[in-house]
Amino acid sequence: MRRPLIAGNWKMNLNRAQSVALAREIAAGLNGSLSADVAVFPPAVYLDAVIAADTGLAVGAQDVNENADGAFTGEISCQMLCDLNVTTVILGHSERRNLLGETSEQVQRKTLAALRAGLTPIVCVGELLEQRQAGQTDQVVLEQCRTSLAGLSAEQMLQTVVAYEPVWAIGTGQVATPAQAEEVHASIRQWLSKSFSPATAAQVRILYGGSVKADNAAELLSQANIDGALVGGASLKAESFLGIIRATETQKVA
Ligand code: 13P
């Protein structure tokens, strides 16, 4: 059964005190709510502070390096994240793919490294506006899935979350319609079914990301193949993030 997951990607925002305060405010507002799994992804330098605040929220990193150790200036390894009690990591976010040139091959190496370290990878895929306009959405997204998730066993796939984030919907206020999002989520699940097994595909959570807000979350989450949200801007305020989490209360637990 797929339990909804609402993930807040704070990107390169907030300072230390604000990060801790936001995590505390979210946890307080949840008040033990069990309708969804909730995770927050602070900037790496504040992971320790947010984890030390002991809010009960899952705390994740926004990226990790695929190597175990060595001469990789500025990078952070999976073991370093585990050392901090980080449990999950976002990989292949479109901002890393498009602004920093991260490839699906790199994302695949990071995914395997994260899985080996016992971290839950959230692997992001999504098309650019011009790719959607050219009718290439499925092709682009499924190719990203094929390469980024290559070589995973079915068991590893079950430990992995996929996030569909159309690039044109990120930070633009231009959310995909529930039907547009559902269509891509359904293709990803079909691909998972063919590549792993129907039983595996039925259990993998596929999140939608891109301008999710409290007032559009319920409709997106009501779609059969949308199992949660990866939220940017609206995760930076407790009230709007809690509004999105509350939208899961009325949803199916498929
Ligand atoms: P916004 O919610 O700000 O559109 O960002 C989405 C995102 O990139 C989450 O990873």
Side-chain angles (χ1 to χ4, degrees):
M1 295 304 100
R2 301 194 302 267
R3 184 174 160 77
L5 168 61
I6 306 297
N9 177 8
W10 296 355
K11 307 190 181 182
M12 198 173 73
N13 293 296
L14 308 176
N15 63 26
R16 183 184 183 92
Q18 289 166 335
S19 297
V20 170
L22 179 55
R24 289 209 170 111
E25 220 182 316
I26 293 164
L30 276 178
N31 205 10
S33 161
L34 294 174
S35 61
D37 291 337
V38 177
V40 294
F41 296 78
V45 287
Y46 304 136
L47 283 167
D48 212 13
V50 172
I51 289 167
D54 201 18
T55 60
L57 298 175
V59 180
Q62 299 174 14
D63 181 45
V64 76
N65 186 277
E66 67 268 36
N67 296 287
D69 52 30
F72 302 101
T73 301
E75 294 293 278
I76 295 172
S77 72
C78 292
Q79 277 316 317
M80 291 170 184
L81 294 182
C82 292
D83 213 10
L84 295 180
N85 292 324
V86 165
T87 55
T88 175
V89 60
I90 295 170
L91 296 175
H93 192 281
S94 65
E95 285 146 18
R96 300 196 61 83
R97 290 178 185 267
N98 298 321
L99 304 174
L100 303 171
E102 192 162 302
T103 63
S104 289
E105 285 77 6
Q106 250 175 309
V107 177
Q108 187 256 5
R109 292 193 293 273
K110 292 181 178 199
T111 304
L112 284 174
L115 286 163
R116 285 192 203 107
L119 295 163
T120 298
I122 300 182
V123 177
C124 303
V125 296
E127 81 287 2
L128 301 167
L129 181 60
E130 52 268 35
Q131 293 168 327
R132 172 163 285 265
Q133 286 169 340
Q136 297 168 345
T137 299
D138 255 35
Q139 185 191 323
V140 169
V141 167
L142 297 184
E143 176 51 35
Q144 287 173 335
C145 287
R146 247 190 302 278
T147 308
S148 306
L149 301 170
L152 266 67
S153 65
E155 201 180 314
Q156 286 175 319
M157 192 64 237
L158 288 174
Q159 308 301 320
T160 303
V161 175
V162 178
Y164 168 57
E165 298 204 304
V167 178
W168 48 271
I170 295 179
T172 59
Q174 199 195 334
V175 63
T177 65
Q180 281 175 323
E182 171 61 17
E183 193 181 354
V184 181
H185 281 235
S187 311
I188 295 172
R189 201 173 305 284
Q190 203 177 17
W191 175 81
L192 287 168
S193 179
K194 275 192 264 163
S195 309
F196 295 90
S197 71
T200 305
Q203 288 182 65
V204 173
R205 289 188 286 195
I206 308 175
L207 313 185
Y208 168 79
S211 297
V212 178
K213 308 279 180 246
D215 61 4
N216 61 28
E219 214 189 338
L220 287 160
L221 292 166
S222 70
Q223 303 299 305
N225 288 291
I226 301 184
D227 309 314
L230 181 52
V231 186
S235 72
L236 294 173
K237 292 265 187 295
E239 193 183 301
S240 49
F241 192 55
L242 286 165
I244 295 168
I245 297 165
R246 286 191 197 109
T248 62
E249 280 164 15
T250 52
Q251 304 301 319
K252 90 276 169 198
V253 180

